[in-house]
Amino acid sequence: MNVIWIIPLLVVHVGLFGEGFSGNVSSRPAVVNIGAIFTFDSIIGRVAKIAIEEAVKDVNSNSSVLHGTKLVVKMQNSNCSGFLGMVGALQLMESDIVAVIGPQSSVVAHMILNLASELQVPFLSFAATDPTLSSLQFPFFVRTTQSDLYQMIAIAEIVDHYDWKEVIAIFLDDDYGRNGVAALDDALAARRCKISYKAEIPPGSGVTRGEIMDILVKVALLETRVIVLHVNPDSGFMVFSVAHYLGMMMDGFVWLATDWLSSVLDSFSPLPSTTMDTLQGVLVLRAHTPYSDRKRDFFSRWNKLTGGSVGLNAYGLFAYDAVWLVAHAIDSFFIQGGIISFSNDSRLRFVGRSRNLNLDAMTIFDGGALLLKNILQSDLVGLTGPIKFNPDRTRMLPAYDVINVIGTGFRQIGYWSNYSGLSTVPPETLYSRPPNDSSANDQLYSVVWPGETTTKPRGWVFPNNGKQLRIGVPNRVSFRDFVSQVRGTNTLKGFCIDVFTAAVNLLPYAVPYQFIAYGDGKKNPSYTELVHLISTGFFDAAVGDIAIVTNRTKIVDFTQPYAESGLFVVAPFRKLNTGAWAFQRPFTPLMWGVTAAFFIVVGIVVWILEHRINDEFRGPPQKQFITILWFSLSTWFFAHRENMVSTLGRIVLIIWLFVVLIIKSSYTASLTSILTVQQLYSPIKGIETLKTGDDPIGYQVGSFVEHYLSEEIGIDKSRLVALGSPEEYAAALQRGPEKGGVAAVVDERPYIELFLSSQCIFRIVGQEFTKSGWGFVRFANIQIGGSSELQVELAIFNSIERTPENMSVSGLGI
């Protein structure tokens, strides 16, 4: 009976096993169809077509990939047209396609990727670099090449590496061009740089040389000389041809081309000499693919296959790897039990019947989500290096080669990667090291720039049509070493002018300006009024010996101070003679009186403590009085002969002798100083003496000192006397208050130092009682050269550090 039950169970078990096994075998069909959509006759398309065909051959000849299933590719020509690309994609979707290699164009991608999402067919683009093609909007889009987001970051780092701050962007006015330049704008802004001008080229083949000429003529009139060219080969070579004709490929210009140019150079090098002449000195980016034996062998095979008619470029390598990526993903799809099946979309059947459209043939790929998952989880090594994707579905570790067009070819000057920045070492050798987070470590080899020069271009020139900044300069009458107008001319000179021009020359952009003298040339102008004219817009900025004070900072902006300043008091002094009575001068009369009193008091105290028990302090009153005086005076020389008997007397004597030692040492030191060092005396001790007195005080005409002394210090304005020159300073100080002069002059440190350099009969008394500095002024809404304020500050600091010999006036360091 048991045997009878066992036999049916075995039959059922074998039947189920056989059915499951045959189902697994049938899940691998004999043929799997994939599509490819790109522009056949374009430079990238010609290379990609051969690369895709060779990749399909290699996959089919390798039995370890699809295990007997044949991969078949069906190609459609998009002809760089969004409309034709859509038509080609629709035709592919009628052929049971499981994946599509392409599209090549970003414009076409924006048109057809919604179709991919609806029909759940993964599209693997090897050349659509538009950074706005995101996986959030197009979930079935996979970019097997590198996004222009990273290419624009690389360009921004090159711009920052050479200390340029502004660039001009020339680009195609389509999705590829506009979105790429938008990414460049963001990358430059992160490095305190910017695009100063954007020039759009109409897309398509209809653009004429005259249109390019009009664009470049406008560019040539601008101050920026760093130009980024993000176009396609047809319009790009026309731009270079016209630029060469206009003299824009000469010394002073910088041209940065994106990877469209490197694709042409790799595929058709050497180009005709007439074309290469228009490209000399251009910097170009090329998607980096690491060296490998497989890559070397494929290049050899390519040369034999094409006979040198077309070279292999980076996009061809990305197209080749895209086929292998799909093949491995399909293999994983089959291993996971996936079955290639398609289902109709009821919405398409309804539209097809109502509009007589043949849309029923388009079906949804049921395994599209699983195949997409396998593609994104791939981890293999291709001709372009490791193929792995970030969570945002971009290739991991993007990198670019930086090449310089020279002579009949080009030279590689370095690399860029988002891991190591700019370097002269291949990125793959740096991945084992800590990432480079500082632009200070960026390196590139030397460059031959346009005009066959190796000197780094400044990146800007003074524009022919730029608005000049109106810079007010005080026309000083006194202290002309700081700033003044050359008599009979409009030229302004002086220390402050030298600092400003040195700073402007260090700025990485042009600042057109004109100096306008402010003042009648008869007396120093009011600096407060000059600052007010900036706030009203009459002047755009001001350069001069302008003190940074609180009331001025409320209405205008100042740069960081380029010279230290502060208020000092200058007063006359007299020499103290060392005559026969010089020994009295170490102590004041009060000190002499106090010292004498202490001598007498100590003598009396000792007498009180000793006269009852010590015979030396006894006797007639006259003798005791003489003993007291003699004992006190003899302690000054430590020559007292009386012996102390009482304990308290001895304690008092010890303390007194210690005090005498201190007094004597101080007196000796002071007297020695008086007899050996020249002594100067002034009744003015500083600003406090002036504040409490009632003597007149001098100040410089036009200075803020009048306002400060009256409003901040509280000195009555009737005591303040305006003086117009160093000569007036000296005359007023020599006359003194008694003869109609002043007791002291209050002025800023630089003026005081310059004044004392030629007037030795006056000196600074007291301490500096304010801290400020001199700075350049600009209205808060005005940007010098359209730049950030930080650049102006750095230029001022650098000008002072690099030219210390120019940062002094009459030998005084300022």
Side-chain angles (χ1 to χ4, degrees):
M1 179 64 88
N2 292 334
V3 175
I4 295 175
W5 283 103
I6 291 173
I7 292 175
L9 289 175
L10 289 173
V11 171
V12 171
H13 175 72
V14 171
L16 290 175
F17 179 81
E19 182 179 356
F21 182 78
S22 63
N24 189 36
V25 172
S26 63
S27 66
R28 285 185 178 269
V31 174
V32 174
N33 295 319
I34 65 171
I37 183 167
F38 52 92
T39 303
F40 291 172
D41 60 351
S42 67
I43 294 173
I44 294 176
R46 292 172 60 184
V47 175
K49 186 174 186 297
I50 300 174
I52 292 173
E53 292 173 346
E54 291 303 306
V56 170
K57 291 180 183 178
D58 292 344
V59 168
N60 290 331
S61 63
N62 191 333
S63 60
S64 64
V65 180
L66 291 178
H67 300 89
T69 299
K70 183 179 180 181
L71 190 67
V72 175
V73 60
K74 299 182 178 180
M75 299 185 182
Q76 289 289 339
N77 186 3
S78 64
N79 201 26
C80 288
S81 168
F83 173 74
L84 294 180
M86 176 61 75
V87 173
L90 292 173
Q91 292 175 346
L92 287 176
M93 295 300 103
E94 297 175 356
S95 306
D96 293 340
I97 297 296
V98 300
V100 175
I101 308 299
Q104 169 191 331
S105 167
S106 298
V107 175
V108 176
H110 278 281
M111 291 288 294
I112 69 175
L113 287 182
N114 285 315
L115 179 65
S117 302
E118 292 294 334
L119 301 183
Q120 299 185 14
V121 176
F123 275 61
L124 291 82
S125 177
F126 57 89
T129 57
D130 180 357
T132 65
L133 293 170
S134 67
S135 58
L136 294 177
Q137 183 179 4
F138 307 113
F140 279 81
F141 171 71
V142 179
R143 196 194 321 264
T144 63
T145 185
Q146 298 173 9
S147 170
D148 273 344
L149 172 66
Y150 299 108
Q151 181 170 208
M152 297 309 169
I153 293 176
I155 290 178
E157 288 203 15
I158 292 174
V159 171
D160 186 49
H161 175 71
Y162 289 109
D163 294 326
W164 300 316
K165 296 304 174 184
E166 295 183 0
V167 304
I168 295 172
I170 302 177
F171 59 95
L172 282 183
D173 192 14
D174 59 11
D175 293 324
Y176 159 76
R178 287 191 301 270
N179 297 329
V181 169
L184 175 62
D185 208 353
D186 294 338
L188 289 171
R191 291 156 181 81
R192 296 182 178 272
C193 307
K194 70 174 186 176
I195 299 176
S196 61
Y197 181 76
K198 297 178 181 179
E200 304 89 350
I201 295 179
S205 58
V207 61
T208 64
R209 186 179 179 89
E211 292 175 317
I212 300 295
M213 182 80 71
D214 293 339
I215 292 173
L216 292 186
V217 167
K218 294 179 182 178
V219 169
L221 295 176
L222 301 175
E223 63 189 60
T224 304
R225 286 293 182 262
V226 182
I227 304 172
V228 177
L229 190 59
H230 185 52
V231 292
N232 59 28
D234 293 336
S235 57
F237 285 114
M238 188 180 297
V239 168
F240 281 125
S241 175
V242 175
H244 185 266
Y245 173 77
L246 295 176
M248 298 175 66
M249 301 302 297
M250 302 299 291
D251 185 17
F253 282 88
V254 178
W255 288 84
L256 303 173
T258 52
D259 57 1
W260 66 267
L261 180 55
S262 60
S263 299
V264 180
L265 294 174
D266 287 335
S267 297
F268 299 103
S269 187
L271 296 173
S273 59
T274 54
T275 303
M276 291 302 298
D277 289 342
T278 65
L279 303 177
Q280 296 301 303
V282 177
L283 289 186
V284 190
L285 291 184
R286 174 177 61 192
H288 175 71
T289 55
Y291 174 82
S292 65
D293 292 338
R294 284 185 59 198
K295 179 180 172 182
R296 181 197 60 195
D297 295 340
F298 190 76
F299 265 91
S300 299
R301 173 181 164 191
W302 182 276
N303 292 331
K304 295 178 181 179
L305 182 67
T306 61
S309 60
V310 60
L312 179 61
N313 57 42
Y315 287 113
L317 297 174
F318 286 121
Y320 181 89
D321 280 352
V323 175
W324 277 92
L325 178 61
V326 170
H328 281 282
I330 293 173
D331 184 56
S332 299
F333 175 82
F334 289 146
I335 293 174
Q336 295 166 359
I339 300 176
I340 295 179
S341 62
F342 298 87
S343 58
N344 294 323
D345 189 337
S346 58
R347 295 172 299 175
L348 292 178
R349 288 198 301 270
F350 175 77
V351 173
R353 287 197 305 269
S354 62
R355 297 290 187 271
N356 295 321
L357 298 176
N358 185 25
L359 300 178
D360 293 341
M362 288 193 300
T363 54
I364 298 174
F365 177 32
D366 298 328
L370 179 59
L371 181 61
L372 176 65
K373 178 182 177 182
N374 291 336
I375 291 173
L376 296 176
Q377 292 179 349
S378 298
D379 186 3
L380 54 98
V381 178
L383 297 182
T384 58
I387 303 177
K388 295 178 66 176
F389 294 95
N390 292 310
D392 61 353
R393 301 186 184 182
T394 59
R395 285 282 294 263
M396 294 186 68
L397 302 175
Y400 286 87
D401 301 332
V402 184
I403 60 180
N404 182 202
V405 179
I406 304 173
T408 59
F410 54 85
R411 179 176 68 98
Q412 186 161 334
I413 62 170
Y415 307 86
W416 175 89
S417 76
N418 68 331
Y419 184 85
S420 56
L422 295 171
S423 69
T424 55
V425 181
E428 53 270 15
T429 64
L430 301 175
Y431 292 148
S432 59
R433 306 178 188 176
N436 176 22
D437 297 326
S438 173
S439 60
N441 299 323
D442 290 345
Q443 294 181 349
L444 289 174
Y445 289 122
S446 61
V447 179
V448 177
W449 303 100
E452 298 182 358
T453 177
T454 56
T455 302
K456 185 200 78 171
R458 185 167 57 175
W460 59 269
V461 294
F462 288 100
N464 296 325
N465 59 346
K467 176 186 175 182
Q468 290 185 324
L469 295 177
R470 291 170 51 85
I471 299 180
V473 180
N475 184 12
R476 294 192 60 89
V477 177
S478 61
F479 296 105
R480 296 173 60 85
D481 291 326
F482 293 106
V483 59
S484 64
Q485 184 176 11
V486 179
R487 291 183 174 87
T489 69
N490 294 325
T491 304
L492 291 150
K493 66 175 185 177
F495 167 74
C496 303
I497 301 297
D498 292 341
V499 173
F500 179 78
T501 54
V504 168
N505 290 335
L506 292 175
L507 290 174
Y509 44 79
V511 181
Y513 62 88
Q514 60 173 334
F515 289 134
I516 301 176
Y518 174 71
D520 57 9
K522 299 178 181 179
K523 64 178 182 178
N524 293 336
S526 170
Y527 283 48
T528 301
E529 294 179 3
L530 173 60
V531 171
H532 180 70
L533 288 176
I534 298 171
S535 66
T536 60
F538 184 80
F539 290 125
D540 296 320
V543 170
D545 47 342
I546 305 172
I548 303 173
V549 293
T550 304
N551 62 333
R552 294 174 182 174
T553 59
K554 294 178 180 179
I555 58 175
V556 295
D557 284 347
F558 281 86
T559 64
Q560 290 295 321
Y562 63 87
E564 293 183 1
S565 180
L567 294 183
F568 284 96
V569 177
V570 174
F573 63 90
R574 61 183 176 86
K575 299 179 182 180
L576 296 177
N577 298 322
T578 57
W581 297 96
F583 68 90
Q584 298 178 353
R585 286 167 48 192
F587 290 163
T588 62
L590 178 61
M591 184 63 181
W592 280 116
V594 171
T595 303
F598 267 106
F599 273 98
I600 295 173
V601 170
V602 170
I604 293 173
V605 171
V606 171
W607 176 81
I608 293 173
L609 296 174
E610 293 288 331
H611 82 283
R612 293 184 179 181
I613 58 176
N614 191 340
D615 293 338
E616 294 183 6
F617 287 89
R618 304 179 70 176
Q622 181 179 4
K623 177 183 178 183
Q624 293 185 38
F625 179 73
I626 294 174
T627 301
I628 291 173
L629 294 178
W630 173 254
F631 174 81
S632 299
L633 294 175
S634 64
T635 56
W636 176 261
F637 305 100
F638 302 99
H640 55 284
R641 294 177 297 175
E642 293 77 8
N643 294 320
M644 297 294 100
V645 176
S646 68
T647 303
L648 289 177
R650 291 174 179 175
I651 293 174
V652 171
L653 180 61
I654 291 174
I655 295 174
W656 173 243
L657 290 178
F658 180 73
V659 173
V660 168
L661 176 64
I662 296 175
I663 295 174
K664 184 177 180 180
S665 299
S666 300
Y667 177 84
T668 304
S670 298
L671 183 60
T672 302
S673 175
I674 291 172
L675 296 176
T676 58
V677 179
Q678 187 181 49
Q679 298 296 305
L680 305 177
Y681 170 76
S682 174
I684 307 298
K685 305 302 180 184
I687 188 63
E688 292 299 327
T689 306
L690 297 176
K691 182 178 179 181
T692 57
D694 56 1
D695 293 330
I697 304 169
Y699 69 92
Q700 185 181 169
V701 173
S703 172
F704 75 97
V705 176
E706 178 188 16
H707 178 272
Y708 183 83
L709 293 179
S710 61
E711 300 296 332
E712 302 295 333
I713 303 298
I715 297 175
D716 191 88
K717 283 190 176 182
S718 62
R719 296 175 54 196
L720 302 180
V721 179
L723 302 173
S725 67
E727 292 76 16
E728 292 186 20
Y729 282 15
L733 288 171
Q734 287 175 345
R735 289 196 303 269
E738 297 80 7
K739 298 181 180 180
V742 296
V745 170
V746 177
D747 208 344
E748 296 177 71
R749 175 180 175 179
Y751 304 122
I752 295 299
E753 290 181 344
L754 188 58
F755 171 68
L756 294 180
S757 67
S758 60
Q759 298 289 340
C760 301
I761 60 175
F762 311 105
R763 69 174 184 138
I764 295 174
V765 294
Q767 301 295 320
E768 183 179 18
F769 57 94
T770 64
K771 280 287 186 182
S772 62
W774 287 354
F776 303 136
V777 192
R778 68 178 178 87
F779 184 43
N781 293 331
I782 296 294
Q783 288 190 343
I784 296 179
S787 70
S788 68
E789 184 178 345
L790 176 62
Q791 296 299 324
V792 180
E793 314 296 354
L794 293 176
I796 292 173
F797 290 141
N798 289 335
S799 67
I800 295 175
E801 291 176 357
R802 294 187 184 186
T803 57
E805 68 278 4
N806 296 329
M807 297 299 107
S808 63
V809 178
S810 300
L812 297 177
I814 293 176

